[in-house]
Amino acid sequence: MEDLHAVILAGGSGTRLWPLSTPEFPKQFLPLPGGRSMIQETLARVTTLVPPERVWVVTGRAFSELVRQHLPEVLPGQILEEPVGRNTAPAITWAASLLARRSPRAVMAVFPADHVITKLEPFQRALRFGYQLAQRGYLVTWGIRPTEPATGYGYIRFASPVADGYGHQAFSVEQFVEKPDLATAQRYLQDGHYVWNSGMFIWQAATILAEVRTHLPALAEQMTRIVEAMGTSTERKVLEELWPSLISISIDYGVLEKTDRLVVIPVDIGWSDVGNWEQYGALYNADGNGLRGVGHHFALGSQNVFVYNTTQREIYTVGLEDVIVVALEDKTLICHKNHVQRVRELAEAQLLQRSSTSAARNGHQPGPTPASAQSPTPTPAGQSAPTLSFNLAAGDPPAMTPEGSASGTDPEPGGSAEQSQPTI
């Protein structure tokens, strides 16, 4: 697959993983149980088929140094730094424009930086199949076969079969649908023709650019000016002037819902967008009582509890079920698993409070928050924290860190077309 390039979208704020995920340290840099960060795992998955010199990263300028630290294999000139986030359509169009200039045959596979995929063999087969379809002029997305009536994802309804290969089958796309309520999600699951919108794509750079020119002509024209200035003395000036004026829109809503070239490959690849604390906790091993965790945790009669403790304090739980505890030096979050989606509300309130305080202190509106290269240091993966056992007690361990906004992606991955702003 000599024409294949990988484009990693390293943006998105991941506010549902607050307080670890913050505007200073985006979710894609958080460590997974194996020790590598999400963005490092993303690169490792794609470099089995794509060499590092054909990997591109689109990220926010504030996080470019973090990208370089985590992905030293990626060429510095292939880390595209957005002045401000403008969602996935501008991010993808930028990368596609550069690739099309390199080769009219260039194929780009797009991956959010903050997803987890555990079944690598079917993932690689699906990527090879998608590459073949892309060479035939299709726009391809991978849809995740639903395992439950999830209400946190957008869905894609597929219709007639288009092609098959590598143990997978591609179908025409009938429609994108928004995040459903529970009853609707249950109907989707029973119907069998719906998949979760993964936010992962593959297509020829020239093909997606033609679609952008058709459906987002202003974006196409502005991006042409930006790319033509790259490598010249006016590069920075043109980027600073034009980028903030680009339409902020997802590739799903801006192009894919309108094209007749889109096909979907339903896959079972052990996918998770790690979009909330319950999903993050599920990455770690549980004991017989469903207890998972990092750091000190002593449990008495508690079940299905995840504790993430980066402090020296000892945390005790008694008789709790389905609860998440996140203990940092300056903040503690205690949340029932039924309300993990509402953590975003706390994150947004904290950000608003901080912005207001900064504005009042400085006497002006706050500017962008600078990136921080430091993250909390959790217990290394695979090491168990001390556990106290009283008949039904136990504690377990692993590791993690924070997340914030970055590239023009801005998405909560796996969201529906209109509001999926990855990743990654």
Side-chain angles (χ1 to χ4, degrees):
M1 297 191 291
E2 65 278 0
D3 294 318
L4 180 61
H5 297 252
V7 176
I8 298 174
L9 301 181
S13 60
T15 48
R16 288 173 294 174
L17 282 176
W18 182 86
L20 275 179
S21 175
T22 71
E24 291 75 31
F25 200 96
K27 165 184 168 188
Q28 58 267 23
F29 302 107
L30 304 184
L32 294 168
R36 291 192 295 199
S37 65
M38 295 188 192
I39 193 171
Q40 288 171 331
E41 289 282 355
T42 302
L43 179 66
R45 281 195 299 273
V46 302
T47 50
T48 57
L49 298 174
V50 183
E53 58 268 23
R54 295 208 304 266
V55 174
W56 301 70
V57 180
V58 187
T59 189
R61 182 174 292 161
F63 304 112
S64 59
E65 184 55 36
L66 281 173
V67 170
R68 292 185 180 92
Q69 291 174 14
H70 283 245
L71 306 181
E73 308 95 322
V74 177
L75 299 175
Q78 292 177 194
I79 298 173
L80 306 181
E81 303 175 15
E82 298 176 317
V84 292
R86 279 295 175 265
N87 217 315
T88 54
I92 288 170
T93 303
W94 194 10
S97 299
L98 294 172
L99 286 173
R101 288 186 163 221
R102 287 197 171 193
S103 168
R105 299 187 307 275
V107 173
M108 58 188 292
V110 180
F111 303 104
D114 52 4
H115 290 185
V116 168
I117 293 173
T118 59
K119 299 179 180 179
L120 295 184
E121 194 270 336
F123 165 77
Q124 292 171 353
R125 286 191 286 105
L127 182 56
R128 291 181 182 277
F129 183 35
Y131 178 76
Q132 286 189 347
L133 293 173
Q135 288 182 312
R136 292 166 55 184
Y138 288 107
L139 303 177
V140 184
T141 183
W142 293 282
I144 307 304
R145 294 188 183 277
T147 56
E148 59 178 329
T151 60
Y153 301 131
Y155 285 70
I156 297 173
R157 178 172 171 80
F158 59 89
S160 56
V162 173
D164 56 67
Y166 293 93
H168 294 285
Q169 194 166 23
F171 297 84
S172 61
V173 171
E174 191 169 273
Q175 72 175 129
F176 285 78
V177 291
E178 302 296 327
K179 294 179 180 179
D181 58 25
L182 181 58
T184 303
Q186 289 171 335
R187 289 200 304 272
Y188 290 168
L189 194 62
Q190 293 168 358
D191 182 280
H193 285 80
Y194 288 86
V195 288
W196 293 334
N197 180 8
S198 72
M200 300 185 295
F201 315 104
I202 185 168
W203 42 54
Q204 283 189 322
T207 304
I208 191 64
L209 289 177
E211 294 292 317
V212 171
R213 284 193 293 271
T214 298
H215 302 293
L216 298 171
L219 172 61
E221 189 276 331
Q222 290 169 297
M223 195 61 68
T224 297
R225 293 171 59 191
I226 289 172
V227 172
E228 286 178 346
M230 293 184 70
T232 73
S233 60
T234 63
E235 175 179 338
R236 179 102 177 182
K237 179 176 181 290
V238 171
L239 186 63
E240 294 289 348
E241 288 179 355
L242 290 182
W243 195 271
S245 67
L246 299 181
I247 184 173
S248 181
I249 191 170
S250 70
I251 196 70
D252 312 60
Y253 192 59
V255 174
L256 302 185
E257 288 193 4
K258 303 168 183 175
T259 182
D260 59 2
R261 293 176 177 264
L262 183 65
V263 298
V264 62
I265 303 173
V267 293
D268 175 9
I269 53 177
W271 175 90
S272 171
D273 73 347
V274 198
N276 60 54
W277 274 109
E278 184 173 16
Q279 292 171 345
Y280 188 89
L283 300 176
Y284 298 105
N285 295 327
D287 73 354
N289 294 309
L291 301 176
R292 312 168 190 264
V294 173
H296 298 283
H297 173 213
F298 297 83
L300 173 61
S302 293
Q303 298 182 27
N304 301 321
V305 172
F306 175 62
V307 173
Y308 187 83
N309 179 12
T310 63
T311 75
Q312 295 303 308
R313 297 190 303 273
E314 295 180 350
I315 292 179
Y316 298 82
T317 61
V318 180
L320 294 185
E321 292 187 19
D322 301 323
V323 168
I324 292 164
V325 180
V326 181
L328 308 182
E329 289 299 334
D330 60 339
K331 291 181 181 69
T332 300
L333 169 70
I334 302 172
C335 175
H336 193 278
K337 290 185 178 181
N338 289 347
H339 295 276
V340 289
Q341 304 292 353
R342 298 197 64 192
V343 171
R344 162 186 269 167
E345 298 173 34
L346 293 176
E348 291 171 347
Q350 286 284 311
L351 183 59
L352 180 62
Q353 181 183 47
R354 187 172 66 178
S355 298
S356 299
T357 301
S358 175
R361 181 184 302 118
N362 298 323
H364 57 72
Q365 292 299 315
T369 305
S372 167
Q374 298 300 317
S375 65
T377 304
T379 303
Q383 291 185 13
S384 295
T387 300
L388 193 60
S389 198
F390 300 95
N391 298 325
L392 341 142
D396 231 282
M400 158 174 160
T401 324
E403 147 184 68
S405 65
S407 108
T409 45
D410 274 334
E412 290 294 346
S416 67
E418 184 166 9
Q419 48 74 264
S420 91
Q421 307 196 68
T423 167
I424 294 126

